[in-house]
């Protein structure tokens, strides 16, 4: 019996996001991790091409998608989870602390339709929880730091780490979002890097490290421990935190932050339609300088 999953990666270059289709080769039971819903910001147009490509790949192999797993409420792409669930009957799971993320953003966006107690998701997942996938199992790892609710998924020799770390030449996730914490991220990274060196790590994003011309999203614990520019062995917590916070202070918000959060705290569900049948996202305005502040007073 094959004790390792089959893994297909789908890279969405507009958002630099990697979605994974993971299957037990013996039974064909499959899971999707961090799916993308296509979104064109200039036209506010959504599309399903990324989801369709994933569903087609599963159908070609005779795989049945049973679950859609989110590593966190992403700030850089809209989730395709609801669309996949509608097409396949799969359930949607996310870390249990998503309720804290929702509590932060629901008032900001007037998202009063978000269901209480995280019920926009089918399952709220906890540290060390086991999720059967055919003859294989995922084990949930709570890996906060980028957000309070971040989780990773371990299956056989593979771990899907979300935004915890990137390729070794790029470093680690930012920690300046609400609920983010550089100390917590350091602990999460050390937890992941305590796994055997040969453990494969599958990343949620790649932005190409300095001098690298090709996108990449698979690495190993050993490679990260030796060469991660921000978190290799020998970097202590105080040094990591100081460097991470200094780097975060220079970063602009993600391009799709505002639309992404509104959809993703709803589990990939779009905002409700108004009386005219229009579904709309909110863009809260903030003053960029003293002169503009008078407009918001």
């Amino acid at each position: 019996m094959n004790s390792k999953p089959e893994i297909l990666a789908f890279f969405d270059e507009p958002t630099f996001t990697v979605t994974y289709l993971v299957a037990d080769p013996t039974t064909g039971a499959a899971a999707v991790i961090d799916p993308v819903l296509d979104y064109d910001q200039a036209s506010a147009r959504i599309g399903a091409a990324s989801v369709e490509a994933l569903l087609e790949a599963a159908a070609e192999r005779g795989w049945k998608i049973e679950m859609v797993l989110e590593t966190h409420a992403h700030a850089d792409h809209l989730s395709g989870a609801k669309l996949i669930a509608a097409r396949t009957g799969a359930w949607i799971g996310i870390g249990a602390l998503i309720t804290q993320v929702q509590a932060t953003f629901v008032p900001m966006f007037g998202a009063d339709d978000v269901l209480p107690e995280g019920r926009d998701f089918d399952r709220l997942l906890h540290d060390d929880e086991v999720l059967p996938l055919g003859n294989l199992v995922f084990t949930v790892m709570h890996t906060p730091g980028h957000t309070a609710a971040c989780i990773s998924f371990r299956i056989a020799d593979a771990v899907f780490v979300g935004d915890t770390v990137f390729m070794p030449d790029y470093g680690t996730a930012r920690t300046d979002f609400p609920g983010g914490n550089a100390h917590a991220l350091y602990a999460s990274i050390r937890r992941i890097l305590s796994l055997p060196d040969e453990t494969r790590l599958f990343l949620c994003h790649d932005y190409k490290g300095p001098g690298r011309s090709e996108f990449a999203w698979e690495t190993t614990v050993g490679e990260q421990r030796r060469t991660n520019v921000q978190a290799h062995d020998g970097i202590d917590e105080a040094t990591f935190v100081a460097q991470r916070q200094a780097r975060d202070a220079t970063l602009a918000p993600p391009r799709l932050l505002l639309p992404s959060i509104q959809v993703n705290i709803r589990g990939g569900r779009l905002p409700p339609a108004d009386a005219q049948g229009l579904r709309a996202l909110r863009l809260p305005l903030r003053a960029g300088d003293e002169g503009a502040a008078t407009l918001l007073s």
Side-chain angles (χ1 to χ4, degrees):
M1 181 176 70
N2 192 335
S3 61
K4 291 186 179 182
E6 291 194 36
I7 300 169
L8 299 181
F10 300 80
F11 184 64
D12 180 61
E13 189 166 346
T15 62
F16 306 102
T17 301
V18 192
T19 298
Y20 296 99
L21 179 60
V22 184
D24 170 21
T26 304
T27 66
V32 176
I33 301 175
D34 292 332
V36 171
L37 183 70
D38 302 309
Y39 176 71
D40 179 71
Q41 189 171 30
S43 64
R45 184 170 296 157
I46 60 172
S50 294
V51 167
E52 295 292 354
L54 187 150
L55 295 176
E56 183 178 345
E60 287 174 351
R61 291 160 176 79
W63 295 347
K64 176 176 172 49
I65 297 172
E66 297 182 351
M67 62 185 84
V68 183
L69 304 175
E70 298 277 18
T71 56
H72 61 294
H74 305 271
D76 40 36
H77 68 270
L78 280 63
S79 171
K82 286 292 189 198
L83 182 56
I84 294 173
R87 294 280 298 274
T88 65
W91 57 267
I92 302 171
I94 198 168
L97 293 185
I98 185 62
T99 52
Q100 293 184 10
V101 179
Q102 291 171 321
T104 297
F105 289 107
V106 163
M108 182 183 299
F109 296 112
D112 297 332
D113 60 291
V114 169
L115 298 175
E117 300 174 351
R119 294 203 305 271
D120 275 298
F121 301 87
D122 299 302
R123 292 181 63 175
L124 300 186
L125 306 174
H126 298 268
D127 192 38
D128 292 329
E129 187 169 349
V130 172
L131 311 174
L133 184 74
N135 293 328
L136 303 175
V137 295
F138 282 106
T139 300
V140 178
M141 302 174 66
H142 183 215
T143 49
H146 176 56
T147 78
C150 287
I151 56 177
S152 300
F153 298 98
R154 185 181 183 185
I155 183 169
D157 71 334
V159 185
F160 299 87
V161 298
D163 287 10
T164 307
V165 293
F166 300 136
M167 290 299 289
D169 59 359
Y170 198 86
T172 74
R174 64 195 294 172
T175 60
D176 58 330
F177 294 155
N181 185 289
H183 293 279
L185 182 63
Y186 182 83
S188 294
I189 292 170
R190 299 328 301 178
R191 181 183 183 188
I192 291 170
L193 298 189
S194 71
L195 297 171
D197 277 5
E198 64 272 16
T199 304
R200 297 180 292 162
L201 304 181
F202 292 87
L203 318 178
C204 190
H205 299 288
D206 186 53
Y207 306 100
K208 296 182 184 174
R212 177 158 51 89
S213 60
E214 300 293 328
F215 289 108
W217 44 80
E218 181 180 348
T219 178
T220 66
V221 164
E223 185 179 10
Q224 292 280 354
R225 291 183 62 179
R226 290 188 300 273
T227 65
N228 186 291
V229 294
Q230 295 173 350
H232 61 75
D233 284 358
I235 293 183
D236 62 23
E237 182 174 349
T239 301
F240 173 82
V241 169
Q243 293 178 347
R244 183 66 265 172
Q245 291 176 341
R247 168 71 173 151
D248 290 345
T250 70
L251 299 177
R255 181 175 57 88
L256 296 182
L257 171 66
L258 297 179
S260 295
I261 289 294
Q262 294 180 69
V263 171
N264 296 345
I265 62 172
R266 294 174 165 96
R269 176 171 60 84
L270 299 180
D274 63 17
Q276 286 73 45
L278 177 68
R279 298 180 187 271
L281 299 169
R282 290 192 177 192
L283 299 178
L285 296 177
R286 297 175 180 173
D289 53 43
E290 215 173 288
T294 59
L295 295 173
L296 299 179
S297 60

